[in-house]
Amino acid sequence: MQIEHRSARTNGISLHVAECGPEDGPLLLLLHGFPEFWYAWRQHMPLLAAAGYRVVAPDLRGYNLSDRPTDIADYGLEVLGRDVTGLIDAYGRDRAFVVGHDWGGALTWRVAQAHPERVISAAAINCCHGDVLRRAALTRLSQARRSWYILFFQLPWLADKWLATDGFERLSRVLVSTSARNTFSAEDLAAYRAAWGQPGAITAMLSWYRAALRHPAPKPERERIAAPFLLIWGDADHALGFELTGPSLALCDDGHLERVVGASHWVHLEQVEQVCASLIAFFKDR
C-alpha cells in the first residue's frame, strides 16, 4: 500500500504525518521514539494497513518536518499528550489505537492513562510506565547506570554539539552498536542524518528529555490504565531492564506482555513482521 504524506494541525502546531490504508478503517497511530522519525514505521505501515487500519505515523513535535517550538516547557509530556488527542481529532475520530516505541511508548502510556476515553487499545514497545522508570532510576544501581545519558542530555549546547559532531557520526554509531546486525542500513542512516540535520531538530529532540526533568507532567486523575494494553519487550535492551515490565503491567487493568528473547531496544525494526502480527492479533475485535 502506498504511503502518503501531508501536514496535520493539532494542539496549535503542525505535524508532518505519513498515512496509509483505507480512509474509513479504524485509526491506528504509530508514535516513534528517540532519535527516530516517521520513517521507523515505513515497513510496518503497509502490513497494518492490509489488516484494515488507517495507519498514521507522525513526525512527533520537534522531529524532522514537524514544528519545533523553542520553549523547553512545550515538550512536557502533558503537552505532548494533547498533540496525540488533537491528532485523533484532526482525523475526525473519537478514539484510536495507539502504538509507541521508546519516547513514543512513554507518550502512549501517558495518553492511555490521562485520556482513556480516546484510546481503544494501546501498545508500548520497549518502554515502561514513566513512574516505574523514575523509581527504578533512583533505587536500582543497574537502571541508574543504564540511564546515565538522560543526565548528559540535560547539558545545554554541549549535548547538542556532541551528538551533531562529524555529521552525527556518534548518534549513528549508537543505533548500530545497540541493535542486531544489519538493522540499520547505510540508506537508513542517511535518512536519519537528514532528519537530524533539519534546523533546530537536535535541540528540539533533546527538549523531550529536558522537559521531563524540568517540567514533569502532573499526575492524571486516574492512576490505572483502563484500556487493554500490550507491552512488547526485546529483553536485550541496552537502556531499560526487563524487570521494569512487571511493575508497569501491574498498573494496567488488562495488561499483556510479549517478551522477545534476544531482541534489542529496536525490536520493532529487528522483528517487523512479528511485531505487526502481535499488534494485529491483540487489537482484533477490540
Side-chain angles (χ1 to χ4, degrees), residues 66 106 164 193 245-246 251:
S66 290
R193 287 192 181 100
T245 60
L251 296 172

Side-chain angles (χ1 to χ4, degrees), residues 46-93:
L47 297 176
L48 296 169
Y53 294 99
R54 180 60 169 173
V55 185
V56 174
D59 286 332
L60 293 171
R61 175 183 290 239
Y63 283 81
N64 193 34
L65 301 180
S66 290
D67 282 352
R68 275 182 278 282
T70 57
D71 192 335
I72 290 176
D74 289 330
Y75 294 86
L77 203 54
E78 183 179 22
V79 177
L80 297 167
R82 292 198 298 269
D83 287 354
V84 176
T85 57
L87 193 58
I88 296 172
D89 292 335
Y91 279 86
R93 309 301 180 90

Side-chain angles (χ1 to χ4, degrees), residues 248-264:
S248 296
L249 290 173
L251 296 172
C252 300
D253 292 340
D254 185 13
H256 302 260
L257 173 67
E258 179 169 332
R259 180 176 186 171
V260 185
V261 177
S264 78

Side-chain angles (χ1 to χ4, degrees), residues 126-204:
N126 277 74
C127 183
C128 64
H129 190 285
D131 291 344
V132 173
L133 177 58
R134 279 187 288 273
R135 285 195 299 269
L138 292 173
T139 61
R140 294 186 180 182
L141 182 59
S142 60
Q143 187 56 55
R145 287 173 174 169
R146 291 171 184 257
S147 302
W148 69 269
Y149 64 94
I150 296 176
L151 295 179
F152 174 66
F153 285 171
Q154 303 303 313
L155 299 175
W157 184 82
L158 181 61
D160 316 45
K161 184 71 173 178
W162 187 83
L163 289 176
T165 299
D166 296 329
F168 305 101
E169 180 61 27
R170 289 190 178 100
L171 197 48
S172 298
R173 285 204 304 265
V174 168
L175 295 184
V176 172
S177 65
T178 58
S179 61
R181 187 176 182 179
N182 298 323
T183 299
F184 295 95
S185 67
E187 182 182 4
D188 295 338
L189 293 176
Y192 280 108
R193 287 192 181 100
W196 302 334
Q198 294 291 331
I202 282 292
T203 297

